[in-house]
Amino acid sequence: MTTKLTEKARGVYIIAATPFTDDGALDLQSVDTLTDFYIRSGVHGFTLLGMMGEAHKLAAEESIEVVKRVISRAGDRQVIVGVSHAGLENVRRLGHEVMVAGAAGVMVAPPPGLKGDDGIYNYYAQVFEALGPHIPVVYQDYPQATGVYLPPSVFERLVDDFEQLVMLKHEDAPGLAKLTRIREGEKKPGRRRVSILVGNGGLYLPQEMRRGADGAMTGFAWPEMLVQVYELFAAGKAEEAEDLFDIYLPLVRHEVQPGIGLALRKEVLFMRGAIRSPRQRAPGLSLTATDRAELGSLIARLERRLAASGQHKLAAE
Amino acid sequence: MTTKLTEKARGVYIIAATPFTDDGALDLQSVDTLTDFYIRSGVHGFTLLGMMGEAHKLAAEESIEVVKRVISRAGDRQVIVGVSHAGLENVRRLGHEVMVAGAAGVMVAPPPGLKGDDGIYNYYAQVFEALGPHIPVVYQDYPQATGVYLPPSVFERLVDDFEQLVMLKHEDAPGLAKLTRIREGEKKPGRRRVSILVGNGGLYLPQEMRRGADGAMTGFAWPEMLVQVYELFAAGKAEEAEDLFDIYLPLVRHEVQPGIGLALRKEVLFMRGAIRSPRQRAPGLSLTATDRAELGSLIARLERRLAASGQHKLAAE
Amino acid sequence: MTTKLTEKARGVYIIAATPFTDDGALDLQSVDTLTDFYIRSGVHGFTLLGMMGEAHKLAAEESIEVVKRVISRAGDRQVIVGVSHAGLENVRRLGHEVMVAGAAGVMVAPPPGLKGDDGIYNYYAQVFEALGPHIPVVYQDYPQATGVYLPPSVFERLVDDFEQLVMLKHEDAPGLAKLTRIREGEKKPGRRRVSILVGNGGLYLPQEMRRGADGAMTGFAWPEMLVQVYELFAAGKAEEAEDLFDIYLPLVRHEVQPGIGLALRKEVLFMRGAIRSPRQRAPGLSLTATDRAELGSLIARLERRLAASGQHKLAAE
Amino acid sequence: MTTKLTEKARGVYIIAATPFTDDGALDLQSVDTLTDFYIRSGVHGFTLLGMMGEAHKLAAEESIEVVKRVISRAGDRQVIVGVSHAGLENVRRLGHEVMVAGAAGVMVAPPPGLKGDDGIYNYYAQVFEALGPHIPVVYQDYPQATGVYLPPSVFERLVDDFEQLVMLKHEDAPGLAKLTRIREGEKKPGRRRVSILVGNGGLYLPQEMRRGADGAMTGFAWPEMLVQVYELFAAGKAEEAEDLFDIYLPLVRHEVQPGIGLALRKEVLFMRGAIRSPRQRAPGLSLTATDRAELGSLIARLERRLAASGQHKLAAE
């Protein structure tokens, strides 16, 4: 039994991959090993059924099965579950179902087509009414996928009016100025400071931490790096954090490639023993021999740089 | 028990609205009365869970419930069910589930992001493999929503290579030249002539019938007009068909408005006694008093023109 | 020499086609005959270099040439010129150039990518500063092309703060409720009532006139219908106006087809003797024999209905 | 007088920024100093009036002025000029104008809205006919901006059929597999091997060089890095090239941020003395104090890593 998500949330909430067997069945045994892998990597929480990844390829009952399986194994780590849906009734149903199952909170992205500042505010007002006051909510701000830009002033109106809005999943691009703008707005007397976890594969993690992010919510296949960078920042060692980050940056950049990034991520998780098959559910890209050789070469370079920098290999590997 | 969908399908396959009660619950009693209303209007078949409408606001189990309810009441009229899904495994599952329930065939739209002519061909090749050779398939060609343009040559490759592809749901815009192009291509020796039913609210129905369409697959709230236009064309009375169509055209045009069209359609179905509530599931637009007065005025104009033209009021009303 | 555009503007401001010779050269002689044709049709003003049409295929110097040619022939009819450009410096330059040449005002559409309500407000504040206080401006609200939705409240802020904003080119879809909303907002003490001219090919012209539009800004190839509908509304004969509109509606609908609409419009202008060639500058669609026969059939139907309704053929034909 | 662009082109063709004075005027003096800066950095050629940057904010006559100014100073370095335009007549005119002015070739992106494989082929066939056989053409493949995906098979048809197509500006994402696919396709007997220069800010430059790219066409503000990486690859020192690249990667990544990347690039060019003002023409983003401090911190980190790696400071600085 975990606590509910609050504005104090910080650290790395890993966006978990969804493992399948070679013939495309949901692989619950790999869900377990992957959950354990993430825990060994030091993650502070989990995010399931987000926009990216393969959650949208699951049947409804499979989705719930994955949520329950991860929660049962996550111990006291919080699990956030994406419940975005075209119909608010389904947001409500799924929201309550996952909270009963032990989720710490839910994440909701705006549907495409919301119009104007008021369109966004009014949609979330409906979401909060549908979910009720007791389910903590994360605003998933990913306009590259939704087409909905969130003005900071609208986010502030929502924070001021709805106590259950406790976190911003920050994934706008460009997003650095927005992060700063929100943190500055929070200095207004009476406004709550909410948790901000960043996405975009972690590509700007050090810059975002310096500007006031509380951690990351992304799925980089070496989560221990995200954790260490977070912890070094927490310890006030920003430059060391960024030094470490930069060692991994070539692979962070490699993994954020649109279209093929997920295949690369699952390949790494497979190579690291976290899942039994790198397969995606169809339709999905698979890697060529050239892609695999290239990935191998980048990993070899990573290992050389880690060794040269005196970093130890991590327990997770 | 109905027969399976074939290339010979023609007439009006109505895209059924999804009725809800005033408090947003699925209204199965109205599903029945609406089904009866459509049957009295003379429709030749049904299409359920298409892209438009509110099917995407249903929970998975509600979707199946609606499908079974309509099939149980549709008699020997064929029911086509939309099974588009981001994951092919779900296309396969849902496809088999609805066929077992008595559907005549399934409809599949291309997912956003397919790239190039081969990208489309290969996706459908995977769909046909997932569904197997015994489930008739409709290609839903609606690029305004999917972003995927279907070149006629790609459709022809699919028709040549996959016997189970029996129908084109034609909804491209502009689409008239494409329709002509496909009918001309079918004159090639050995190529099958497939069924083409048109959408876009019926806005170009007479032009499309003249160019070789076999009927309509759309949801106009006066389906009896679609049926009569089809039958007049079938009887070789093209000009009379277009005369009748033109009488309804102001309302066809009114109902194709983006964003508010569905609210207008449900309002008419409600006014005509086909459903108990015009309500949409949230989030959805509702009509203002001005909207209702305007609709009423357009309907009064329609009735005057019908009366002036000597058309009788229809049994369905 | 015409007067400057004001909030009092009303009637039909025709969006002029750009005529080319069969070998693609700008056809200034046809610019003259087309201008005369529009004037004989009774239009109250002109709009040049709008977003649609082929203005974007002109070289910079050709654009100015067309503007001067039409102004020289338009007598006391006002000419509005589109000056949208990615750079504000070019908006400023072109704006001043066309005003010096005798334009009555300029039209500016928002560039793609404006973010949030404030993003729109701030962009137009920059536009108004660049153009200065003496150039009347039309806000071109066409989100289907620009991707920028204009909330009524933002338009009101702009109207309240900038005297030179005198007209809304209304082309949102759905747009009827927005039109009503803006007219209602104008009842606020102290707010100016601006001119609203509607676009979208005139597809909803009667409904828009009933909701408070002041006329049309579109390019339908039978402009005399737009003029007559406007004048009947001005004379309080709304039902007669709509009766006339409905006679032309099949062709209005035919001409609003995306992609091919401009080719149809130019074909009609050519058939009516207004221009010497229906050719578009490359790349552009041309009509097939089937397209031409279909158009001819629709025109024959129009003429039968006009005759049956007792409408006289118009001088322009 | 430079030679014409051929399939043999390789190296770094820098995408030149457009300098303005603090009050927004085109700054020709800075065009000179920036050109000199690029030459000192070792670039092999120039690309002007591309899709990115601020070329679209120039007046027509300013564009030509910039082209002539750079050509006059570029010595024997080739200058490629972007001539994409909505109208083919303008492509033709501008193409001939810049070739007469001394350009080595022109670059053409597909207009939004091309449909299907044949739509792309036919458009470029028209472009090649409009430009004639003697103007070398670069296909600018940047689907993130144009929305037009280029299938490798279509590119091959164009290469096979049009001798003047000599280069691919490669900027698709994901793009690595496509690059490999095109290089493999060139092994077919009789097919020409064309030049491929890569964009996307250079974010995947080492991977792209390993897969057969001939260099880069992008505007990174430390062009000497691009040049050195190219030359190390040319010398067979791939690992050393990638080591150097990785030192700059944090800034490459910083500069590829959408929306703010150009402001950062111009700030660096300003700091390095290449231009007199970092100002963009309105509307354009400007940096905050936080943005500048962050950039300074990243540059300080770069300098430390360069020093630690034994790299010398470059003449250009």
Side-chain angles (χ1 to χ4, degrees):
Chain A
M1 184 60 197
T2 67
T3 55
K4 281 194 187 171
L5 196 69
T6 73
E7 299 88 344
K8 307 294 179 197
R10 54 199 58 237
V12 176
Y13 283 63
I14 194 80
I15 297 191
T18 309
F20 299 102
T21 62
D22 278 337
D23 58 2
L26 178 61
D27 181 358
L28 289 172
Q29 182 179 328
S30 283
V31 170
D32 291 345
T33 54
L34 180 62
T35 304
D36 295 347
F37 166 85
Y38 287 136
I39 292 173
R40 281 199 311 277
S41 302
V43 303
H44 307 86
F46 290 83
T47 303
L48 305 176
L49 312 188
M51 209 181 308
M52 291 289 94
E54 298 176 273
H56 59 295
K57 295 183 188 168
L58 295 176
E61 62 276 14
E62 289 176 326
S63 298
I64 286 296
E65 211 172 353
V66 168
V67 167
K68 291 183 175 166
R69 193 87 173 202
V70 172
I71 287 175
S72 74
R73 211 160 179 105
D76 58 0
R77 286 164 200 81
Q78 294 183 321
V79 176
I80 298 169
V81 182
V83 298
S84 304
H85 197 282
L88 283 173
E89 172 61 15
N90 282 345
V91 172
R92 189 192 65 74
R93 283 187 203 189
L94 188 53
H96 285 85
E97 191 168 1
V98 300
M99 292 304 290
V100 167
V106 302
M107 184 161 73
V108 180
L114 293 186
K115 290 179 177 177
D117 288 10
D118 286 345
I120 300 172
Y121 181 90
N122 293 338
Y123 178 76
Y124 276 89
Q126 284 184 283
V127 165
F128 293 131
E129 171 160 352
L131 289 172
H134 302 306
I135 299 183
V137 175
V138 181
Y139 187 115
Q140 184 172 18
D141 184 25
Y142 190 34
Q144 301 92 302
T146 62
V148 178
Y149 170 75
L150 171 67
S153 61
V154 173
F155 185 67
E156 289 170 347
R157 285 169 61 197
L158 290 169
V159 169
D160 288 349
D161 295 353
F162 299 96
E163 288 279 330
Q164 61 267 63
L165 177 55
V166 297
M167 183 186 284
L168 177 68
K169 164 68 186 291
H170 170 278
E171 203 158 12
D172 198 354
L176 296 174
K178 189 173 188 173
L179 210 167
T180 296
R181 166 69 184 74
I182 287 173
R183 284 298 182 227
E184 280 172 3
E186 286 171 345
K187 293 175 185 162
K188 184 185 151 191
R191 176 163 297 142
R192 287 181 298 139
R193 183 195 186 280
V194 298
S195 176
I196 301 180
L197 301 188
V198 301
N200 280 320
L203 194 62
Y204 299 99
L205 182 56
Q207 283 65 46
E208 290 160 335
M209 292 301 293
R210 291 178 193 268
R211 286 171 181 257
D214 297 310
M217 184 189 287
T218 190
F220 185 52
W222 285 266
E224 63 271 25
M225 180 278 278
L226 303 174
V227 171
Q228 290 173 283
V229 166
Y230 164 74
E231 286 172 353
L232 286 166
F233 268 102
K237 301 178 179 174
E239 287 295 314
E240 284 172 64
E242 192 155 1
D243 288 344
L244 178 67
F245 175 85
D246 283 353
I247 293 175
Y248 285 87
L249 178 52
L251 278 152
V252 171
R253 165 211 56 160
H254 200 62
E255 206 176 288
V256 295
Q257 288 180 85
I260 198 166
L262 180 61
L264 292 166
R265 180 174 291 172
K266 290 190 101 167
E267 183 73 17
V268 174
L269 293 173
F270 170 68
M271 290 166 65
R272 300 185 74 185
I275 55 179
R276 287 189 298 179
S277 164
R279 194 183 179 285
Q280 292 178 64
R281 247 188 194 176
L285 243 154
S286 52
L287 302 182
T288 63
T290 306
D291 295 334
R292 283 207 184 77
E294 180 181 66
L295 176 61
S297 150
L298 283 164
I299 293 175
R301 291 180 54 83
L302 169 65
E303 288 174 348
R304 285 203 298 275
R305 280 185 66 184
L306 282 173
S309 75
Q311 297 283 336
H312 296 287
K313 286 205 132 199
L314 295 156
E317 292 193 87
Chain B
M1 184 59 197
T2 66
T3 54
K4 281 194 187 173
L5 195 69
T6 73
E7 299 88 344
K8 306 295 179 198
R10 54 199 59 236
V12 176
Y13 282 64
I14 195 79
I15 296 191
T18 309
F20 298 102
T21 63
D22 279 336
D23 57 2
L26 179 61
D27 181 358
L28 289 173
Q29 182 180 329
S30 283
V31 170
D32 290 346
T33 55
L34 180 62
T35 303
D36 295 347
F37 166 86
Y38 288 137
I39 291 174
R40 282 198 311 278
S41 302
V43 303
H44 307 86
F46 290 82
T47 304
L48 304 176
L49 312 188
M51 211 182 305
M52 294 285 95
E54 299 176 273
H56 58 297
K57 296 182 187 169
L58 296 176
E61 63 275 16
E62 290 176 325
S63 299
I64 286 296
E65 213 173 351
V66 169
V67 168
K68 290 182 176 167
R69 193 85 172 203
V70 173
I71 288 175
S72 74
R73 211 159 180 105
D76 59 358
R77 285 164 201 81
Q78 294 183 322
V79 177
I80 298 169
V81 183
V83 299
S84 303
H85 197 282
L88 284 173
E89 173 61 15
N90 282 346
V91 172
R92 189 192 64 74
R93 282 188 204 188
L94 188 52
H96 285 85
E97 192 167 1
V98 301
M99 292 304 290
V100 166
V106 301
M107 184 162 73
V108 180
L114 292 186
K115 291 179 176 176
D117 288 9
D118 287 345
I120 300 171
Y121 181 90
N122 293 337
Y123 177 76
Y124 276 88
Q126 285 183 283
V127 166
F128 293 131
E129 172 159 352
L131 289 172
H134 301 305
I135 299 183
V137 176
V138 181
Y139 187 115
Q140 184 171 17
D141 183 26
Y142 190 33
Q144 301 92 302
T146 61
V148 178
Y149 171 75
L150 171 67
S153 61
V154 173
F155 184 68
E156 289 170 346
R157 284 169 60 197
L158 290 169
V159 169
D160 288 348
D161 294 353
F162 299 96
E163 288 279 329
Q164 60 266 64
L165 177 55
V166 296
M167 183 186 285
L168 177 68
K169 164 71 186 289
H170 169 277
E171 203 159 11
D172 198 354
L176 296 174
K178 189 174 186 172
L179 210 166
T180 296
R181 167 69 183 74
I182 288 173
R183 284 300 182 225
E184 281 173 3
E186 287 171 344
K187 293 173 185 162
K188 184 186 151 191
R191 176 163 297 142
R192 286 181 298 140
R193 184 195 187 279
V194 296
S195 176
I196 301 181
L197 301 187
V198 301
N200 280 318
L203 193 60
Y204 299 99
L205 181 56
Q207 283 65 45
E208 291 161 334
M209 292 301 293
R210 290 178 195 268
R211 285 171 181 259
D214 297 310
M217 183 188 288
T218 189
F220 184 53
W222 285 266
E224 63 271 26
M225 180 278 277
L226 303 174
V227 170
Q228 289 173 284
V229 166
Y230 164 75
E231 287 173 354
L232 286 166
F233 267 103
K237 301 177 178 176
E239 287 295 313
E240 285 173 64
E242 190 154 4
D243 289 343
L244 178 66
F245 175 86
D246 283 353
I247 292 175
Y248 285 87
L249 178 52
L251 278 151
V252 171
R253 164 212 57 160
H254 200 61
E255 207 175 288
V256 296
Q257 288 180 85
I260 197 167
L262 180 60
L264 293 166
R265 180 175 291 173
K266 290 189 102 168
E267 183 72 18
V268 174
L269 294 173
F270 170 67
M271 291 165 63
R272 300 186 74 185
I275 55 179
R276 287 189 299 178
S277 163
R279 192 182 182 288
Q280 294 177 65
R281 247 188 194 175
L285 243 154
S286 52
L287 301 183
T288 64
T290 305
D291 295 335
R292 282 205 185 78
E294 180 180 68
L295 177 61
S297 152
L298 284 164
I299 293 175
R301 291 181 54 83
L302 169 65
E303 288 173 350
R304 284 203 299 276
R305 281 185 66 184
L306 282 174
S309 75
Q311 296 284 335
H312 297 286
K313 285 205 134 199
L314 295 155
E317 292 191 88
Chain C
M1 182 60 197
T2 66
T3 55
K4 280 194 187 172
L5 195 70
T6 72
E7 300 88 344
K8 306 294 179 200
R10 55 198 59 237
V12 175
Y13 283 63
I14 195 79
I15 297 191
T18 308
F20 299 101
T21 62
D22 278 338
D23 58 2
L26 179 59
D27 181 358
L28 289 172
Q29 182 180 326
S30 284
V31 170
D32 291 345
T33 54
L34 181 61
T35 303
D36 295 347
F37 166 86
Y38 287 136
I39 291 174
R40 281 200 311 279
S41 301
V43 303
H44 307 86
F46 290 82
T47 303
L48 305 176
L49 311 188
M51 208 182 307
M52 291 290 93
E54 298 176 272
H56 59 295
K57 295 183 189 170
L58 296 176
E61 63 276 16
E62 290 175 326
S63 298
I64 286 297
E65 212 172 354
V66 168
V67 168
K68 291 183 176 167
R69 193 87 174 202
V70 172
I71 287 175
S72 74
R73 213 165 178 101
D76 58 0
R77 284 165 200 82
Q78 294 182 320
V79 177
I80 298 169
V81 183
V83 298
S84 303
H85 197 282
L88 284 173
E89 172 61 14
N90 283 345
V91 172
R92 190 192 63 74
R93 284 187 202 189
L94 189 52
H96 285 85
E97 191 167 2
V98 300
M99 291 305 289
V100 166
V106 302
M107 183 163 73
V108 180
L114 292 186
K115 290 180 177 176
D117 288 10
D118 286 345
I120 300 172
Y121 180 91
N122 293 337
Y123 178 77
Y124 276 89
Q126 286 183 283
V127 166
F128 294 131
E129 172 159 353
L131 289 172
H134 302 304
I135 299 183
V137 176
V138 181
Y139 187 116
Q140 184 172 18
D141 184 25
Y142 189 34
Q144 300 91 304
T146 62
V148 178
Y149 170 75
L150 172 67
S153 61
V154 173
F155 184 67
E156 290 170 347
R157 285 169 60 197
L158 290 169
V159 169
D160 288 348
D161 295 352
F162 299 96
E163 288 279 328
Q164 61 267 63
L165 177 55
V166 297
M167 183 186 284
L168 177 68
K169 165 69 185 294
H170 170 277
E171 203 158 12
D172 198 355
L176 296 174
K178 189 174 187 173
L179 210 166
T180 296
R181 166 71 184 74
I182 287 172
R183 284 299 181 227
E184 281 172 2
E186 287 171 343
K187 294 175 185 161
K188 185 186 152 190
R191 176 163 297 142
R192 287 181 298 140
R193 182 194 187 281
V194 297
S195 175
I196 301 181
L197 301 186
V198 302
N200 280 321
L203 194 61
Y204 298 99
L205 182 56
Q207 284 64 47
E208 290 160 336
M209 293 302 292
R210 291 177 193 268
R211 285 171 181 258
D214 296 310
M217 184 188 287
T218 190
F220 184 52
W222 286 267
E224 63 272 25
M225 180 277 279
L226 302 174
V227 171
Q228 290 173 282
V229 166
Y230 165 75
E231 287 173 352
L232 286 167
F233 267 102
K237 301 178 178 174
E239 287 294 312
E240 284 172 64
E242 190 153 3
D243 288 344
L244 178 66
F245 175 86
D246 283 354
I247 292 174
Y248 285 87
L249 179 52
L251 278 150
V252 172
R253 165 212 56 163
H254 200 61
E255 207 176 287
V256 296
Q257 289 181 84
I260 198 166
L262 180 61
L264 292 166
R265 180 175 291 173
K266 291 190 101 166
E267 183 73 18
V268 174
L269 293 173
F270 170 68
M271 290 166 64
R272 300 186 73 185
I275 55 179
R276 288 190 298 180
S277 164
R279 194 183 180 284
Q280 293 177 65
R281 247 187 194 175
L285 241 153
S286 52
L287 301 182
T288 63
T290 304
D291 296 333
R292 282 205 185 79
E294 181 181 66
L295 177 61
S297 152
L298 284 165
I299 293 175
R301 291 180 54 82
L302 169 66
E303 289 174 348
R304 284 203 298 275
R305 281 184 66 182
L306 282 174
S309 75
Q311 297 282 336
H312 296 287
K313 285 204 131 200
L314 295 156
E317 292 192 87
Chain D
M1 185 58 199
T2 65
T3 55
K4 281 195 187 171
L5 195 70
T6 72
E7 299 88 343
K8 306 293 179 197
R10 55 199 60 236
V12 176
Y13 282 64
I14 195 79
I15 296 190
T18 309
F20 299 101
T21 63
D22 278 337
D23 57 3
L26 179 59
D27 181 357
L28 288 172
Q29 182 179 329
S30 283
V31 170
D32 291 346
T33 54
L34 181 61
T35 304
D36 295 347
F37 166 85
Y38 288 137
I39 292 174
R40 282 200 310 280
S41 301
V43 303
H44 306 87
F46 289 83
T47 303
L48 304 176
L49 312 187
M51 210 183 305
M52 291 289 95
E54 298 177 274
H56 59 295
K57 295 183 187 169
L58 296 176
E61 62 276 14
E62 290 177 325
S63 298
I64 286 296
E65 213 174 350
V66 168
V67 167
K68 290 182 176 166
R69 193 85 172 204
V70 172
I71 287 175
S72 74
R73 212 162 178 102
D76 59 358
R77 283 164 202 82
Q78 294 182 321
V79 177
I80 299 169
V81 182
V83 298
S84 304
H85 196 283
L88 283 174
E89 173 60 14
N90 283 346
V91 172
R92 190 193 63 75
R93 283 187 204 188
L94 188 53
H96 284 85
E97 192 168 1
V98 301
M99 291 305 291
V100 166
V106 302
M107 183 161 73
V108 180
L114 293 186
K115 291 179 176 176
D117 288 9
D118 286 345
I120 300 172
Y121 181 91
N122 293 337
Y123 178 76
Y124 275 89
Q126 286 184 281
V127 166
F128 293 130
E129 173 159 352
L131 289 172
H134 302 304
I135 300 183
V137 176
V138 181
Y139 188 116
Q140 185 172 16
D141 183 26
Y142 190 34
Q144 300 91 303
T146 62
V148 178
Y149 170 75
L150 171 66
S153 61
V154 173
F155 184 69
E156 289 170 347
R157 284 170 59 198
L158 290 169
V159 169
D160 289 348
D161 295 353
F162 299 96
E163 288 280 329
Q164 60 266 63
L165 177 55
V166 297
M167 183 187 284
L168 177 68
K169 165 70 186 290
H170 169 278
E171 203 158 11
D172 197 355
L176 296 174
K178 189 175 185 171
L179 210 166
T180 296
R181 166 70 183 73
I182 288 172
R183 284 300 182 227
E184 281 173 2
E186 287 171 344
K187 293 175 186 162
K188 184 186 151 190
R191 175 163 298 143
R192 286 180 300 140
R193 183 195 187 281
V194 297
S195 175
I196 301 180
L197 301 187
V198 301
N200 280 318
L203 194 61
Y204 299 99
L205 182 55
Q207 283 65 45
E208 291 160 335
M209 293 300 293
R210 291 177 193 269
R211 284 171 182 258
D214 296 309
M217 184 189 287
T218 190
F220 185 53
W222 286 267
E224 63 272 25
M225 179 277 278
L226 303 174
V227 172
Q228 290 172 284
V229 166
Y230 164 75
E231 287 172 354
L232 286 166
F233 267 103
K237 300 176 178 176
E239 288 294 314
E240 284 172 64
E242 190 153 3
D243 288 344
L244 178 66
F245 175 86
D246 282 353
I247 292 175
Y248 285 88
L249 178 53
L251 278 151
V252 171
R253 165 212 56 161
H254 200 61
E255 208 176 287
V256 295
Q257 288 181 86
I260 198 167
L262 180 61
L264 292 166
R265 180 175 291 173
K266 290 190 102 167
E267 183 73 18
V268 174
L269 293 173
F270 170 66
M271 291 166 64
R272 302 186 73 185
I275 55 179
R276 288 190 297 178
S277 165
R279 194 183 179 286
Q280 293 178 64
R281 249 190 192 172
L285 243 155
S286 52
L287 302 183
T288 64
T290 305
D291 295 334
R292 282 206 185 78
E294 180 180 68
L295 177 61
S297 151
L298 284 164
I299 294 175
R301 291 181 53 84
L302 169 65
E303 288 174 349
R304 284 203 297 277
R305 281 184 66 183
L306 282 173
S309 75
Q311 297 283 335
H312 297 286
K313 285 203 134 199
L314 295 156
E317 291 193 87

